[in-house]
Amino acid sequence: MSKKVAIVSVAQSAGPASKDNFYDQAYRVTRECLDKVGMTRDDLGTVVSASSDIFHGGISCANAYYWETTGAFLKNASRQDGESLFAFMYGAMRIMSGQYDNCLLLALCKGSENPENDTCTLMFGDPFYHRDLGLTETTSAAFQMQAYMEKYGVTKEQCAKVAVKNLGNALRNPYAHRRGKYSVADILNSAPAAAPLTDLQIAPKSEGFVAMLLASEKKAKKLTDKPVWFKGYGSSLDTYFLGDRNLLDTQLKNAAAQAYKMAGIKDPKKEIDVAEITEPYAFQELLWCEELGFCRPGEAGKMLDKGTTGIGGALPVNPSGGVLANNPYVSRGLQRLVEGFLQIRGEAGEHQVDKKVKTALAHGTHGFAGQCHAVAIIGV
């Protein structure tokens, strides 16, 4: 079994609504990703896509309609639903098995044609006990935020600062959907959503088509001079019912521990050079930073105040603007990995961090208040 898998090429679309149809957008990222390494459809080994066709796309025959446009027609191919960072691991394992020397990963989400995010997340709930209550991802996050502030004394202003930072970073990212120079007061005085959350603390509904090509060690060296290697991965899922969970002690700790062990990371705060975290709600970046081991519980707000997680800080978090700036629901986890890849290669453009990046962390999450988490470590 091959031990090494590399990311050799990536492509992504921008977050704002596009007049291009689904097929054209999916084709363009696929074509761009293959062109960058001089491959054709005939060279593809296997394909793994990530999409949520039924609720988000409104098509009940999941993954049947985009195989031709993504090069997967008559190929070994399958689909993963929910969080696209899981697709990364499935693709990596196919190469590690020795059956294939390359794998095309796709994450597909045409947000402009999808229902509102919480129209879909309402359907996450149990149909008999939860759905009639109106429980959604946003109302669940509001419970989590309130509990977080009460337990650790984290302030609303510190939570809002995450949005100030990330939406400001997004000014440098041409793929971002929402961006701007905001003050803490702007964030807190934006339209109320689910108390204590306000509109600018909640990720928008974006478009996002992502393609990523993985290759075996031997194949990668033929395709590029700058492979970025898969170092570690972990994922973990908590119990389904919200009332049975401690919302401030999620399975992110377990997922991160698995990824760090596989990558040989002992001190993530010192060994991770940049992190791209899925934070659909601003305060979650603080909570997730703590559970990733970047600081002790309740101290991420202070870390933010000191500028540690700023784009010029010791541990930049979401220099792309993160999910608050661009939220293609299913594609967002794999998009975090694309950003980590670009940072390591020094190809992130105006949002490239001002430090040498050898190791990057990408995080994805799905479900009410972070029911499941995935963490990937990549590096040189």
Side-chain angles (χ1 to χ4, degrees):
M1 178 181 287
S2 172
K3 296 292 185 182
K4 298 189 73 173
V5 175
I7 306 170
V8 296
S9 181
V10 300
Q12 60 180 317
S13 67
S18 169
K19 294 181 180 178
D20 292 338
N21 65 42
F22 188 103
Y23 293 102
D24 286 347
Q25 288 179 283
Y27 173 79
R28 287 198 179 100
V29 294
T30 302
R31 183 74 267 169
E32 179 185 339
C33 186
L34 296 179
D35 282 348
K36 285 178 176 176
V37 290
M39 279 180 57
T40 69
R41 195 190 85 84
D42 292 339
D43 301 320
L44 280 179
T46 182
V47 179
V48 179
S49 71
S51 65
S52 187
D53 309 323
I54 297 173
F55 287 129
H56 291 270
I59 296 175
S60 62
C61 188
N63 81 339
Y65 63 102
Y66 54 72
W67 282 149
E68 294 93 333
T69 196
T70 56
F73 179 58
L74 298 180
K75 298 283 185 181
N76 174 281
S78 63
R79 183 185 71 107
Q80 179 271 327
D81 201 340
E83 166 49 55
S84 53
L85 203 53
F86 282 82
F88 170 66
M89 191 60 209
Y90 298 146
M93 287 193 293
R94 288 187 178 184
I95 293 175
M96 294 169 76
S97 73
Q99 293 296 308
Y100 302 96
D101 67 0
N102 72 82
C103 175
L104 179 66
L105 303 179
L106 298 160
L108 310 165
C109 179
K110 188 162 182 57
S112 64
E113 295 183 355
N114 294 354
E116 293 303 316
N117 286 336
D118 277 334
T119 301
C120 295
T121 69
L122 177 67
M123 306 303 285
F124 291 179
D126 176 274
F128 302 103
Y129 301 104
H130 282 164
R131 205 167 291 169
D132 285 347
L133 299 176
L135 191 66
T136 66
E137 194 173 78
T138 298
T139 53
S140 302
F143 292 141
Q144 189 179 39
M145 179 178 177
Q146 189 64 44
Y148 181 53
M149 292 193 299
E150 288 180 3
K151 179 169 183 177
Y152 294 113
V154 175
T155 66
K156 289 189 294 185
E157 287 74 15
Q158 287 174 314
C159 297
K161 276 185 177 180
V162 174
V164 172
K165 172 179 73 71
N166 291 357
L167 296 178
N169 289 347
L171 288 167
R172 309 179 187 201
N173 183 358
Y175 296 102
H177 181 189
R178 176 187 277 173
R179 57 172 74 88
K181 189 173 182 179
Y182 295 98
S183 66
V184 167
D186 292 334
I187 302 298
L188 293 177
N189 291 327
S190 60
L197 286 165
T198 59
D199 181 62
L200 288 174
Q201 297 178 71
I202 301 174
K205 179 169 69 79
S206 310
E207 305 213 342
F209 291 75
V210 176
M212 174 179 285
L213 186 67
L214 306 182
S216 66
E217 181 177 16
K218 183 179 178 181
K219 184 73 173 180
K221 290 179 178 177
K222 293 179 179 177
L223 294 174
T224 179
D225 294 331
K226 297 197 294 185
V228 173
W229 301 102
F230 164 47
K231 299 285 188 179
Y233 180 88
S235 64
S236 192
L237 291 84
D238 210 332
T239 185
Y240 174 67
F241 288 104
L242 200 66
D244 290 342
R245 291 162 46 197
N246 179 347
L247 300 185
L248 305 183
D249 184 16
T250 80
Q251 287 301 301
L252 179 53
K253 293 177 182 174
N254 192 26
Q258 296 171 33
Y260 294 156
K261 182 180 180 180
M262 189 173 179
I265 289 176
K266 305 294 184 187
D267 186 344
K269 185 178 179 180
K270 293 181 179 178
E271 297 178 62
I272 301 294
D273 296 310
V274 65
E276 282 282 341
I277 295 173
T278 296
E279 60 356 331
Y281 304 93
F283 78 95
Q284 287 182 336
E285 181 177 296
L286 304 177
L287 181 57
W288 299 161
C289 280
E290 294 163 12
E291 298 201 320
L292 287 165
F294 296 164
C295 61
R296 290 185 292 186
E299 294 190 350
K302 296 175 183 175
M303 191 168 69
L304 175 67
D305 289 339
K306 293 176 181 176
T308 304
T309 55
I311 196 167
L315 177 47
V317 175
N318 288 330
S320 69
V323 170
L324 284 177
N326 202 33
N327 183 33
Y329 197 90
V330 177
S331 307
R332 61 196 187 188
L334 197 64
Q335 197 164 51
R336 309 272 66 71
L337 195 61
V338 166
E339 290 293 339
F341 170 86
L342 295 174
Q343 290 287 347
I344 289 171
R345 301 233 302 193
E347 298 173 355
E350 292 186 15
H351 62 284
Q352 180 70 43
V353 301
D354 188 21
K355 62 185 290 191
K356 180 67 176 177
V357 179
K358 294 183 178 179
T359 304
L361 178 148
H363 159 252
T365 186
H366 186 69
F368 291 155
Q371 183 194 356
C372 74
H373 291 274
V375 175
I377 309 292
I378 56 175
V380 292

